[in-house]
Amino acid sequence: MTTSLRRNAGRTASHGYGIAPVDRQEFIGTSVQGRALATYLRTTVRPFLGLWAHTHSLPWPTGLVDQAGRLLPPVGTTRCTPVRLDNCRAEWIHSDRPRRLGPTGRSETPRRRADRDRVILYLHGGAFVVCGLNSHRRLTSRIAHTTGADVLSVDYRMMPRNPISHAVEDGVDGYRYLLDAGYLPEQIFIAGDSAGGYLSFMVSLAITTLGLPQAAGIIALSPLTDLDPSRKMAHPNAARCPVFPAGAVPALTALADSVEARIVVEGKRGPRVCPVNADLSDMPPVLLQVGSNEMVYADSELIADRLAEAGVECRLQVWENQVHVFQAADFVPESGRAIREIAAFVDERVASAGRVSDIRPGA
């Protein structure tokens, strides 16, 4: 079956002032491969996550998931180089695509690694507890190959040893690393899937708080944006999602609560800030991709509305019946198309930055 695009006229935020419309795009049709993947995950991964939801306090061997990722090589001739940030590892995925032109339309002299007009800071998913550089290397290399960008993938600190705030700090360190490497803010995109989508927003909020210049855009794949499970539990997708059973969402919140309870400042636990409850007015343009039956579909709609209320440009792409982070499944045709949509978003933002630089004094 061929996937077709239906582009809605755009709706303003359902809760607010209608400052900016949500550019909602619906991708209709599900391939045989996509349906087969959903069936497989429903009968294998979903029951396993149901078991985890009831036993999440046990010492699960979560590191095995990332080690299994070593079986999936990067695509093409992309090259991977290890990097050390202040508190965690990271990895460069060097694109094998020809380097792009600078914003002036001319090939520019590289400063250290900044020899392309685009780079992606990537934060992997895994509910803040599993996955890493190995598990996501195939996906990040495909994104690098298709967008023509190098990717800095961050192996941030995870629960239960570390609170989510430490993962945000590691993402900020990755952003500083790119700035120090010579990249301009308008060349940097912050991306992530699932829990990494949560972090992509939180890192963007953090760099604003720290007075750092904002990135060119955020790319969030099936993002978690709200750790309060109530909205997701009340949504029909709580029973439809082929990956997550309903109990997994409150279990993740309970785990985060228990980890964060260990961090006390002046006798009190600090308040949790989720992207949907934050001031989003300084966010760069956002691309959201989510499957129509996903547990986190409600999160994508909610963050899109909150961005619209804040006047932030947001493109919400809803892919019919696609599973959680379907972009990682090479054999599903919709995966390749979704990554090409990511490339189109990056192209648009880089071209927009180029047009702005052309009218700057001395540009």
Side-chain angles (χ1 to χ4, degrees), residues 20 40 46 62 65 69 73 164 169 192 235 293 302 339 343 351 353:
Y40 172 77
R46 197 173 193 269
T62 52
V65 175
I164 296 172
E169 292 172 7
H235 195 278
N293 286 344
L302 181 57
I339 292 178

Side-chain angles (χ1 to χ4, degrees), residues 9-318:
R11 65 190 183 95
T12 54
S14 58
H15 316 293
Y17 322 114
I19 295 175
V22 176
D23 179 10
R24 182 184 175 105
Q25 302 175 358
E26 297 181 3
F27 291 80
I28 308 302
T30 311
S31 65
V32 173
Q33 296 94 319
R35 292 195 296 271
L37 178 60
T39 300
Y40 172 77
L41 294 174
R42 186 180 293 279
T43 57
T44 56
V45 173
R46 197 173 193 269
F48 178 81
L49 292 178
L51 176 63
W52 174 84
H54 291 94
T55 60
H56 64 269
S57 59
L58 296 178
W60 283 78
T62 52
L64 295 179
V65 175
D66 188 49
Q67 292 305 312
R70 293 180 180 274
L71 301 175
L72 299 174
V75 300
T77 57
T78 49
R79 295 171 291 108
C80 303
T81 306
V83 171
R84 183 71 198 180
L85 301 179
D86 286 349
N87 295 294
C88 69
R89 299 181 305 149
E91 181 176 79
W92 272 112
I93 296 93
H94 302 288
S95 170
D96 54 358
R97 295 282 295 275
R99 73 181 170 96
R100 305 299 182 99
L101 299 179
T104 61
R106 299 184 300 273
S107 179
E108 297 187 339
T109 302
R111 285 191 295 165
R112 297 159 76 181
R113 288 194 186 276
D115 59 348
R116 295 173 185 265
D117 62 0
R118 61 197 66 196
V119 67
I120 297 173
L121 174 69
Y122 198 88
L123 302 158
H124 66 80
F128 309 108
V129 295
V130 296
C131 299
L133 301 180
N134 297 317
S135 64
H136 280 65
R137 188 173 292 122
R138 182 79 175 181
L139 174 59
T140 52
S141 68
R142 290 175 65 213
I143 292 173
H145 176 75
T146 304
T147 62
D150 285 342
V151 176
L152 181 66
S153 184
V154 178
D155 194 22
Y156 56 84
R157 291 168 288 175
M158 293 190 288
M159 299 193 297
R161 289 192 177 94
N162 296 275
I164 296 172
S165 59
H166 286 179
V168 177
E169 292 172 7
D170 294 340
V172 173
D173 285 345
Y175 190 77
R176 291 184 188 274
Y177 182 93
L178 293 177
L179 293 175
D180 291 343
Y183 285 100
L184 301 175
E186 57 264 33
Q187 297 172 329
I188 304 173
F189 294 82
I190 305 175
D193 64 276
S194 193
Y198 181 103
L199 294 175
S200 67
F201 286 104
M202 294 305 296
V203 168
S204 187
L205 289 165
I207 63 179
T208 296
T209 301
L210 293 169
L212 297 172
Q214 191 53 264
I218 294 173
I219 302 163
L221 315 181
S222 301
L224 172 72
T225 63
D226 188 4
L227 279 172
D228 182 348
S230 56
R231 187 182 298 265
K232 287 184 280 291
M233 296 290 286
H235 195 278
N237 281 6
R240 295 173 183 161
C241 182
V243 176
F244 294 107
V249 178
L252 175 60
T253 303
L255 177 60
D257 286 342
S258 66
V259 173
E260 291 172 4
R262 300 199 302 259
I263 300 178
V264 176
V265 179
E266 296 181 352
K268 296 181 180 179
R269 194 180 78 183
R272 173 186 294 151
V273 178
C274 289
V276 294
N277 299 322
D279 179 1
L280 302 173
S281 57
D282 290 325
M283 292 293 97
V286 175
L287 171 65
L288 297 164
Q289 292 183 341
V290 68
S292 63
N293 286 344
E294 286 196 61
M295 178 74 76
V296 294
Y297 172 78
D299 282 32
S300 289
E301 282 206 320
L302 181 57
I303 192 70
D305 280 353
R306 296 288 165 83
L307 288 164
E309 291 173 7
V312 176
E313 178 184 336
C314 176
R315 181 176 303 168
L316 171 61
Q317 295 184 338
V318 180

